[in-house]
Every structure is written in structure tokens, then in C-alpha cells.
Amino acid sequence: MTPDAWWVQISPLLVGLAAGIGALLADAWSRRVAALALVVAGLLVSTGLCVYLHLTGASSLLAGVLLVDRGVYGVWAAVFTLSAFALAGGFDFVRRHPSGGGVAALGAFIAAGSAVLAASIDLLLTLLVLETIAVAGYGLVASVRTPASREAALKYIIQGAVATGLFVLGLAIAVGLLAGSTGLAPIGSGAVALTLPATAAAILLVTALAFKLGAFPLHSWVPDSYECAPPMASALLAAVPKLGALSAIFLVAEVMMRQLAGSSAPAMQPTMVFALRSEEHTSELQS
């Protein structure tokens, strides 16, 4: 198995998605424990694949929308490992819950979505993955099926819709600046000059991602959601999607706001606010 093949480079994602689909099928036959075991095993296999790809130094730009390198595989390994442990801790809940297998499948989809989010360099793909993670999160919060959990899920949905609106507005501005393109690579190569619309787009996108991250002051959905969701779901939502959202914020801030580095206000450089991603990302985007 050569790491140069595209399907090998995204094999952790494929295994995670396959585990989620398998869990749904197992849940259809009320095999809740089997569904959970399948998801946990699949996520651990994904972790092992991430470690292997990290050690081999695999790195490429896939279809112009996914940037994978050693740093991304490190994030993926953390995502899949945390997801596996969080879901394994919910064994009793999954065994007793009528739709326990479906809950485990949602956890696998959130893990895979968070991994894609951490590697996405296409704003449209980022939006689609964000909404996939959000919908799965709504389901996890409401899975307890109590009035409090339904209310918390509804608040989460309403506030999530606001964040989605901000992201769509920022995406619309970015698409206008790039003459129809949704990729970050043209921005990173300097195709977009420093303008007020470019700065506004960056601020809107980072704000929307900060909401998904649960960062202050956009964290009002967090307490009710974590309190009303089952413990395994709270552990998952508190860690896994945040890794993907934080990676996306780093990339958007570094690439879309990079033009500020040539201005007369160095304090506005994104590296003064956000940690830099690896140099491999920069070289890939500029190539």
C-alpha cells in the first residue's frame, strides 16, 4: 500500500465513514452494541492509519479542496482517538437507548466531518461539512428525548442558523472577490489584494467558525447543549468538532488575512492573533 495513492491518503476518512454507515445498518436490526463496537473499532483503525501516514510524510493537495500533510494527520489522529474514547464511554447509554446504534453512527459522522473540516481549503466544502457536523450535533443533543433536551436542541439549531448565515455572507463576498471560485488557494497565492471586502469576508468567516467552536462571546448555546446531551455526546461535542473548527480558523485567518502583512499596520497580522500552521501548508498553497 503506497501512500502516494489518493485513496490511501484519505483512508482514515473512508474508514470512519464506513464505520458510521455500518453502525446505521446494525442499528436497523437493533444490534446496538455491535454498532457501537463497529464505530469504536473503525475510529481506532483510522487513528492507526493517521499515525502511519504521518510517519511516511504523505502530503498532497487533493482535488484542490483537501490539503493533507503531516500536521493534518496529527489533527486527524487526535480527532479519531478522542471520538473513539468518548463513544466507548457511552456503552451503557447505547445499550439501553432504543436508537443507540444511530447515536454511535452520528458520533462517527461528526468525527469524519471534523477531520474534513481540518483539511478543507475550499470554503464551499467547509460550509457543507460545518452543516453536516451541526445536524449530527443537533441529533446528539436531542437524543435523550426529554423536554429539556429538545429545548436545548432547538436553541442550538436557531443559533446555529445565525452562524450559518454569517458564513454564507462571508462566502458570498469571497466568491465575488475570486470571480466565482470558492478555494482558498488563489487567495493564498496573492490573487486578492487587501481591500475592505476581503477583510470583511475574513471577519465573517472567522466569526461563524468561532460560533461552532463555542468561543466567547459566541458560546451561549454551549451550557444547555452539554447539560442536556448524554455524557458521551457532551464529551464528543466538547472536543472533536472544536479541533476541526480551530484548524479551519487558523487556515482562514492565515490565508485570507495574509494580505494585511504588507500593510503599515503589522499588529493586524493574523499571526499576532492565531498560531501559525505548518510551513508545509504555506508552500502547498503558494505552489
Side-chain angles (χ1 to χ4, degrees):
M1 185 172 66
T2 170
D4 295 332
W6 68 267
W7 60 271
V8 174
Q9 294 177 350
I10 62 170
S11 57
L13 293 177
L14 298 179
V15 172
L17 288 174
I21 295 172
L24 287 178
L25 295 176
D27 186 60
W29 277 271
S30 299
R31 299 291 189 268
R32 297 188 289 272
V33 175
L36 178 61
L38 182 61
V39 168
V40 172
L43 294 176
L44 291 177
V45 170
S46 294
T47 300
L49 289 171
C50 290
V51 173
Y52 164 74
L53 292 168
H54 175 84
L55 294 177
T56 59
S59 176
S60 66
L61 185 62
L62 302 175
V65 297
L66 285 180
L67 178 62
V68 291
D69 63 7
R70 297 186 65 182
V72 169
Y73 288 127
V75 175
W76 284 10
V79 164
F80 292 124
T81 302
L82 291 173
S83 299
F85 278 100
L87 293 173
F91 173 80
D92 288 337
F93 175 84
V94 171
R95 180 173 55 84
R96 298 192 313 266
H97 198 279
S99 300
V103 173
L106 288 178
F109 294 144
I110 286 179
S114 299
V116 174
L117 185 60
S120 173
I121 59 168
D122 185 88
L123 294 176
L124 183 58
L125 177 62
T126 298
L127 174 62
L128 294 176
V129 174
L130 276 175
E131 293 313 299
T132 300
I133 296 172
V135 170
Y138 305 151
L140 287 179
V141 173
S143 62
V144 180
R145 300 182 180 180
T146 62
S149 67
R150 294 190 182 98
E151 180 182 354
L154 183 58
K155 292 178 181 178
Y156 190 3
I157 291 172
I158 293 173
Q159 296 179 58
V162 175
T164 300
L166 294 175
F167 195 98
V168 170
L169 181 56
L171 174 61
I173 297 173
V175 168
L177 293 172
L178 294 172
S181 173
T182 59
L184 288 175
I187 305 175
S189 63
V192 178
L194 172 60
T195 61
L196 180 59
T199 304
I203 292 173
L204 287 169
L205 294 173
V206 170
T207 301
L209 290 167
F211 174 88
K212 301 298 183 180
L213 185 63
F216 175 85
L218 308 170
H219 65 298
S220 58
W221 60 273
V222 172
D224 288 342
S225 297
Y226 290 1
E227 180 181 3
C228 297
M232 59 180 286
S234 297
L236 187 72
L237 293 173
V240 176
K242 297 185 186 307
L243 286 173
L246 189 61
S247 297
I249 286 178
F250 286 167
L251 186 57
V252 169
E254 180 187 351
V255 174
M256 290 202 67
M257 300 176 70
R258 182 179 299 166
Q259 310 307 319
L260 296 176
S263 70
S264 59
M268 290 297 293
Q269 294 183 28
T271 54
M272 301 294 292
V273 182
F274 301 105
L276 275 173
R277 296 187 66 153
S278 67
E279 290 300 324
E280 294 172 308
H281 288 81
T282 303
S283 59
E284 287 282 356
L285 286 169
Q286 291 179 339
S287 61

